[in-house]
Amino acid sequence: MRELSWRHHTLIQALLARGPLREDHFHLLFTRITEKSPENDRQLFNNYLLTMNKALSFAQFELRGCRNQYDGRVYYGLVNNVSDEQSKLGTKYSVPQIAFYKAIVEAIAQDPSARGGISNIAALHLQLENQLGDAGSQSHVIPPAFKNFSISLKEKTIAELAQDQWLNCTPDGFVNLGVRSFLDLRSWFRTNDIPSCEVCNEAGVKAELCSNEGCTVRVHRYCLKKMLSNKKSKRACPSCGTQWRSTAPNVEFKEEEDEPDARIQGQSSSHKRKKTRLNRDIDSGPNGDSMAAAQASQPPPDTRRITRSSAHPRIGM
């Protein structure tokens, strides 16, 4: 394996210290360190990503790219591909805080309207008892820490999760997923039947829906331009043919030639590593900064075509 240079170490250290970086910021950092531009020397940039991922894989880490579904921007970040009891020891969050995060993610991701967020008031009234699983419901024993998790503690937890980019709080009082959640929870989205975008096949957490109530097609706003510009689509739903009525005030997002995920994952796939578990739950989130398994090189499975009123699965605990 090629030894990492100080330039590789500096890029990795920057992601560890700052958290996920927007693509233009990451490119600027790369240019300052290497004196080469990713736009002008794409092969060099890809080689750097490949070399870093090969080294990181020995520690079960990965440099991954994702797109923020709220603004369409690409971000790069480091994820931990292991979710075990040892990795949980490094978390700064308590058990009730992690359960609260799970409840928020579940409420947002399984919202049939794909709004991509819930109101702050709705988040504060989420019940942690629902995260105990079957064992908790059968024993009817609620841990004291869950009972004593007050509204003020929930508010503090939301603020901390937002600061660490697991969540994002909007000025109009909504709680959305943060970019670290999109980086980390890709496997969870796929294995819990979160409907995918018709264009990019990634989970449609924040998306527009077909106006036909019986159709489950959803499309990210930044993917709409690509779909509607296709002459064959005739500005209609690709599944049911209903005329597509966009509710987005502006769908003119910056287009990328390649999806960042495919670019990074395609490089790292050449390095063989153990297949990680697909049924890893949201403990892979802020639990010791342990993030979901790396499986972006595989296209997400086709989601079951269900009506919007159908029941959604709970997060496995």
Side-chain angles (χ1 to χ4, degrees):
M1 182 186 71
R2 180 183 174 184
E3 185 176 351
L4 297 182
S5 69
W6 67 267
R7 294 180 175 86
H8 295 100
H9 283 287
T10 303
L11 287 169
I12 294 172
Q13 185 60 41
L15 290 171
L16 286 172
R18 305 180 191 179
L21 294 177
R22 219 170 63 188
E23 182 178 43
D24 55 342
H25 295 167
F26 186 64
H27 282 184
L28 178 60
L29 180 65
F30 180 85
T31 301
R32 289 177 175 175
I33 293 173
T34 66
E35 298 182 349
K36 299 289 184 180
S37 170
E39 288 77 13
N40 299 330
D41 201 336
R42 174 60 64 176
Q43 187 60 49
L44 176 66
F45 180 72
N46 290 341
N47 288 341
Y48 262 77
L49 297 181
L50 176 60
T51 301
M52 287 188 288
N53 267 335
K54 283 184 176 180
L56 289 168
S57 66
F58 285 92
Q60 299 298 321
F61 276 83
E62 178 188 358
L63 197 165
R64 180 183 293 176
C66 78
R67 200 178 286 276
N68 187 330
Q69 296 192 16
Y70 302 98
D71 61 14
R73 292 182 180 273
V74 174
Y75 287 78
Y76 289 93
L78 292 177
V79 298
N80 185 349
N81 292 328
V82 177
S83 177
D84 53 23
E85 293 304 316
Q86 287 72 31
S87 65
K88 296 175 185 178
L89 297 177
T91 181
K92 72 175 186 178
Y93 295 104
S94 67
V95 173
Q97 285 180 311
I98 294 172
F100 184 46
Y101 169 75
K102 293 179 183 180
I104 292 175
V105 172
E106 185 179 82
I108 293 174
Q110 296 179 349
D111 177 13
S113 65
R115 294 176 299 173
I118 57 175
S119 69
N120 188 66
I121 295 176
L124 294 175
H125 286 85
L126 290 172
Q127 298 299 312
L128 272 64
E129 292 82 355
N130 297 333
Q131 302 301 320
L132 292 174
D134 296 334
S137 60
Q138 292 174 2
S139 62
H140 300 288
V141 177
I142 301 175
F146 280 42
K147 290 182 179 180
N148 299 329
F149 201 67
S150 63
I151 295 293
S152 61
L153 289 175
K154 290 180 178 179
E155 290 177 333
K156 180 181 177 181
T157 299
I158 290 176
E160 290 180 6
L161 289 167
Q163 183 176 3
D164 291 339
Q165 301 186 67
W166 292 107
L167 298 177
N168 179 51
C169 299
T170 67
D172 55 349
F174 273 78
V175 179
N176 299 335
L177 295 186
V179 66
R180 292 183 74 175
S181 292
F182 286 117
L183 277 167
D184 177 66
L185 299 179
R186 183 185 298 134
S187 294
W188 183 87
F189 291 146
R190 293 173 180 172
T191 57
N192 285 272
D193 293 329
I194 305 304
S196 60
C197 170
E198 192 74 13
V199 176
C200 69
N201 218 22
E202 289 290 334
V205 176
K206 172 66 174 177
E208 291 204 21
L209 307 179
C210 175
S211 58
N212 180 358
E213 287 294 327
C215 180
T216 60
V217 166
R218 58 178 64 186
V219 180
H220 297 128
R221 288 187 175 181
Y222 49 83
C223 292
L224 274 176
K225 182 178 180 181
K226 184 184 296 183
M227 186 185 81
L228 299 180
S229 63
N230 186 349
K231 295 180 180 180
K232 295 181 180 180
S233 70
K234 299 180 180 179
R235 302 185 69 86
C237 173
S239 177
C240 68
T242 302
Q243 188 72 16
W244 195 275
R245 299 184 181 90
S246 175
T247 60
N250 181 12
V251 296
E252 297 293 330
F253 287 92
K254 180 181 179 180
E255 291 186 295
E256 303 289 337
E257 293 182 0
D258 301 302
E259 285 298 320
D261 301 334
R263 214 160 49 216
I264 294 180
Q265 301 302 331
Q267 297 159 4
S268 60
S269 63
S270 61
H271 180 76
K272 295 183 180 179
R273 53 179 179 262
K274 294 181 179 179
K275 184 177 181 181
T276 50
R277 294 173 297 172
L278 270 174
N279 60 351
R280 191 167 293 145
D281 62 17
I282 289 188
D283 281 332
S284 305
N287 233 350
D289 287 359
S290 172
M291 302 188 183
Q295 291 160 351
S297 58
Q298 306 173 6
D302 292 334
T303 54
R304 295 175 298 188
R305 299 198 64 76
I306 55 176
T307 60
R308 295 175 195 165
S309 59
S310 300
H312 293 278
R314 283 190 67 255
I315 298 173
M317 295 298 295

